[in-house]
Amino acid sequence: MNELKITPKDWLGVTFVGVAFSSFLSTFGYYLLGLSIVSGAFFGVVLGLSIALFSSIFITFMNLYLLPKAPKALWNSIAAIFSFLSGFYGLIFSNFLLAQTNIVVVDMFLQQPYISASIIGIHTYLIGAVIYRLVKAKNEKEYLDQL
C-alpha cells in the first residue's frame, strides 16, 4: 500500500477547502475589525492559494525525497514541520504579494509578520493533520477494495 499517494483530485479538493475556509475566516475577521470585507475575502483567497502552493511544494518534496528514506517513526514529525512551514511561508508570501496592491492587510500581519506567520503555521499544521487522516483513510479504503 502506498501511504504517500496524493492524487491531483485530492490536491484540488484541499485547495478548494483551504481557499474557502481562509476566505470565510478572513472576511469575518475583517468585518469584526471594521475593515472592508472585500479586502478580507481577497486576502483569504490569496492566503489560501499561497498556503496551497507551499503545501504542494513541501509535501511533494517530502513524499518523494524525505519520507521514503526516513524511518516511519519520524514521518509524523516531518509532516508536522512541513505543514507548519506551508502556513508560515504562505502568510509571508501573501503579505509580499498584497503589498504590491491596494488591498488592506490587517496591521498585526504587517507589524508582527513572524508571530502572525507562526500562528497561521500552527493552524495549517492542525488542519493538515486532519486532511492527512482523511487522505490516509481514503487510501486504506482503496487498498482494501483492491484486495
Side-chain angles (χ1 to χ4, degrees):
M1 179 170 77
N2 183 0
E3 295 181 59
L4 310 178
K5 185 175 106 181
I6 302 174
T7 67
K9 186 177 175 183
D10 294 333
W11 278 117
L12 186 61
V14 166
T15 300
F16 177 77
V17 168
V19 168
F21 185 68
S22 65
S23 295
F24 172 75
L25 288 179
S26 294
T27 302
F28 185 62
Y30 273 56
Y31 169 77
L32 292 176
L33 293 170
L35 300 172
S36 164
I37 59 171
V38 172
S39 289
F42 193 76
F43 177 83
V45 167
V46 171
L47 179 60
L49 289 173
S50 295
I51 291 172
L53 171 69
F54 282 98
S55 293
S56 67
I57 292 168
F58 288 145
I59 291 172
T60 299
F61 174 79
M62 179 182 74
N63 285 349
L64 291 176
Y65 302 107
L66 293 181
L67 295 186
K69 296 175 184 170
K72 207 166 185 179
L74 295 178
W75 282 17
N76 287 336
S77 298
I78 293 168
I81 291 166
F82 278 92
S83 293
F84 171 83
L85 289 175
S86 296
F88 184 90
Y89 286 117
L91 180 63
I92 298 295
F93 187 63
S94 295
N95 284 346
F96 170 77
L97 289 177
L98 293 174
Q100 318 306 313
T101 70
N102 293 328
I103 299 299
V104 175
V105 176
V106 175
D107 285 340
M108 180 184 164
F109 291 158
L110 299 174
Q111 294 170 1
Q112 301 289 329
Y114 300 113
I115 292 172
S116 301
S118 295
I119 292 167
I120 297 296
I122 291 167
H123 284 94
T124 302
Y125 158 71
L126 295 172
I127 292 168
V130 170
I131 291 170
Y132 168 77
R133 297 289 179 215
L134 293 173
V135 170
K136 185 175 178 183
K138 182 187 80 93
N139 289 346
E140 288 172 353
K141 182 189 178 309
E142 288 174 0
Y143 177 73
L144 291 174
D145 288 347
Q146 286 176 354
L147 291 178

